[in-house]
Amino acid sequence: MIIRWESEHDYVLVHVHQDMFGDWIFVRAWGQIGTAYGGIQHALAEDYAQAMTWVSDVDHIQRLRGFSRVLETSDDTPEARDAVRQLSLLDAR
């Protein structure tokens, strides 16, 4: 699952997925739209329910900050592949 929120200048992106060991990984990336400024954080969730609680928390915070949800998709769509590619660029820095 990939979810993206945007404001006028900034974005937050969350990617929740299972790794090859079956563990649930929660990735949160943030930055300024159109720039290389930003960061990325990875967290290991105890289970899917905890990862979804973290997604709910991020959604609540971003909406309070005036961000709008602009993308919510599964991992197997072209939009998801593009979003993961963007995460890889942040992770490489």
Side-chain angles (χ1 to χ4, degrees), residues 10-57:
D10 300 316
Y11 72 91
V12 174
L13 186 137
V14 168
H15 181 208
V16 175
H17 63 281
Q18 277 187 295
D19 67 9
M20 61 191 259
F21 302 108
D23 294 324
W24 286 99
I25 309 298
F26 177 89
V27 181
R28 183 174 63 92
W30 61 91
Q32 293 178 344
I33 295 171
T35 72
Y37 296 112
I40 189 167
Q41 177 184 32
H42 303 267
L44 176 63
E46 290 182 20
D47 54 25
Y48 181 76
Q50 182 180 42
M52 291 299 97
T53 298
W54 292 345
V55 168
S56 179
D57 292 346

Side-chain angles (χ1 to χ4, degrees), residues 51-84:
M52 291 299 97
T53 298
W54 292 345
V55 168
S56 179
D57 292 346
V58 170
D59 183 63
H60 180 75
I61 290 167
Q62 297 317 313
R63 289 177 188 271
L64 286 175
R65 292 178 175 170
F67 283 65
S68 299
R69 189 184 288 207
V70 297
L71 174 68
E72 182 171 358
T73 187
S74 62
D75 287 356
D76 57 354
T77 65
E79 295 87 1
R81 286 188 288 277
D82 185 47
V84 169

